[in-house]
Amino acid sequence: MKASYGFPDGSTFSGSKTETGWAIGGGLEYALSEHVTARAEYRYTDFGKMNVTLSGPGRSGDSKLEMPIHDVRVGLAYRF
């Protein structure tokens, strides 16, 4: 993953890393009737930390950025 962002004051944020990680999650599905079901799912994904560089007027430095992903999904299904 390679990321680069620019800010209005001229600062830039950049970093790159090959992402590998892990995920865990689960879900529930409930029959509301013979043809209708409702479900909820959750998944946590972690790709570790990425080295980033911030540079611009009055600021610069290297840091580590950690961005775990929390994914929540809900759904309603009709079965024919």
Side-chain angles (χ1 to χ4, degrees):
M1 177 180 149
K2 186 169 188 171
S4 182
Y5 303 98
F7 299 97
D9 68 354
S11 300
T12 60
F13 167 87
S14 62
S16 65
K17 179 181 179 186
T18 300
E19 301 292 342
T20 59
W22 59 276
I24 189 168
L28 298 170
E29 187 165 12
Y30 181 75
L32 300 173
S33 70
E34 184 179 343
H35 296 286
V36 179
T37 62
R39 66 177 169 263
E41 303 170 8
Y42 171 79
R43 181 176 58 199
Y44 174 84
T45 307
D46 189 348
F47 291 108
K49 296 181 180 176
M50 178 172 65
N51 293 324
V52 295
T53 302
L54 179 64
S55 62
R59 57 182 111 159
S60 66
D62 294 328
S63 185
K64 291 191 181 287
L65 178 64
E66 186 174 355
M67 295 178 47
I69 300 169
H70 299 273
D71 189 19
V72 177
R73 297 178 183 194
V74 294
L76 198 59
Y78 183 81
R79 299 173 193 255
F80 294 97

